[in-house]
Amino acid sequence: MGANDFVTIFFLVAAVLIFFQLRSVLGRRTGNEKPPRDLYGSPDSATGPTVPDAGKVVTLPRRDSAEDEDRFAAIDAFAPAGTPLNDSLRELSKADPTFNPKEFVNGARMAYEMIVMAFADGDRKALKGLLSREVYEGFDAAITERETKGEKVKSTFVGIDKADIVTAEMKGTEALVTMRIVSQMISATYDKAGALIDGDAEAVAEISDLWTFSRDSRSRDPNWKLVATESEQ
């Protein structure tokens, strides 16, 4: 028998001894083994379902309720609780959670100046993104008439004295907010010969308007559009 055959027999005997030794340790059952855990089913039937310690259960407030409280707090700070305006703003906020009356007023003030100046300048492109189709058609018709006559309008926006929400309501999914806006402007209209035909090139005039803005509460578009105008003068 060569040296290689002796080495082979040695490792074969060693492997057999190791196998029986492992089997004697791992293959025996002692009667104390735990049943296998069902990873995808119910807890072990021997021990029953695990019941949380009732003394350690903490009930967290609903997030929706907390968010409602925050929104309503902003509305109460804007309009006294219990008033018709407060009630209508709350209803609007329920339909449109993004609505904040203070932020809305700030946005409406900026939109007002943009619309007034775009109309004076005959800027149809700027108007189209801020007005509903019906209101845009009315503004467009007035600009077209002015252009046909060769008239020019020169305006200077001085500022807004007051901007208040008058009413708010939901019509289906459409949110409607009407504002009273009191502004100051210098505006003068000239004919094609350059003669002043309306307004005053130097005097500051006070203008009071009722403007209604609208937004579909289901839309992802956060922008509001002007849907109705009325002058109080």
Side-chain angles (χ1 to χ4, degrees):
M1 178 181 294
N4 290 337
D5 292 338
F6 177 78
V7 172
T8 301
I9 292 173
F10 174 78
F11 280 111
L12 178 61
V13 172
V16 171
L17 291 174
I18 292 172
F19 170 76
F20 279 105
Q21 186 175 4
L22 288 175
R23 185 174 182 277
S24 66
V25 175
L26 301 179
R28 292 181 300 172
R29 298 183 62 86
T30 65
N32 296 322
E33 295 84 358
K34 294 182 179 179
R37 184 163 59 100
D38 184 358
L39 298 178
Y40 303 99
S42 60
D44 183 3
S45 59
T47 58
T50 302
V51 180
D53 185 351
K56 297 182 180 179
V57 175
V58 179
T59 303
L60 298 177
R62 290 181 55 193
R63 185 177 179 183
D64 291 346
S65 299
E67 290 177 349
D68 285 345
E69 289 293 334
D70 290 342
R71 293 201 305 272
F72 292 161
I75 292 173
D76 292 346
F78 185 84
T83 61
L85 179 59
N86 182 283
D87 292 341
S88 58
L89 289 175
R90 280 179 173 238
E91 290 302 313
L92 193 153
S93 178
K94 290 177 183 178
D96 182 2
T98 64
F99 179 79
N100 180 294
K102 185 176 180 180
E103 293 176 359
F104 174 85
V105 170
N106 291 336
R109 291 170 68 100
M110 291 187 289
Y112 180 87
E113 180 178 355
M114 292 173 62
I115 292 170
V116 168
M117 295 309 298
F119 175 69
D121 297 338
D123 187 348
R124 291 180 174 85
K125 184 178 180 180
L127 291 172
K128 204 160 191 176
L130 298 168
L131 312 178
S132 68
R133 186 187 64 181
E134 293 79 6
V135 174
Y136 174 78
E137 289 174 352
F139 277 47
D140 178 57
I143 293 173
T144 299
E145 181 181 1
R146 200 167 64 205
E147 291 172 341
T148 301
K149 294 179 179 180
E151 297 174 354
K152 298 290 184 180
V153 177
K154 293 184 179 180
S155 296
T156 300
F157 189 84
V158 179
I160 295 176
D161 292 335
K162 294 181 180 180
D164 301 315
I165 295 178
V166 179
T167 61
E169 62 177 322
M170 291 296 302
K171 287 187 176 180
T173 61
E174 183 183 19
L176 296 163
V177 179
T178 298
M179 295 193 63
R180 176 180 287 109
I181 301 176
V182 180
S183 64
Q184 292 187 353
M185 287 188 62
I186 299 173
S187 182
T189 303
Y190 302 87
D191 63 16
K192 59 183 179 180
L196 178 67
I197 58 176
D198 189 33
D200 192 313
E202 297 181 356
V204 176
E206 183 179 89
I207 302 171
S208 181
D209 290 315
L210 287 175
W211 280 21
T212 301
F213 296 88
S214 173
R215 177 181 177 274
D216 187 343
S217 61
R218 298 172 305 179
S219 174
R220 294 184 178 181
D221 184 356
N223 296 319
W224 293 69
K225 289 192 175 184
L226 179 65
V227 296
T229 63
E230 180 182 349
S231 176
E232 289 193 316
Q233 293 179 337

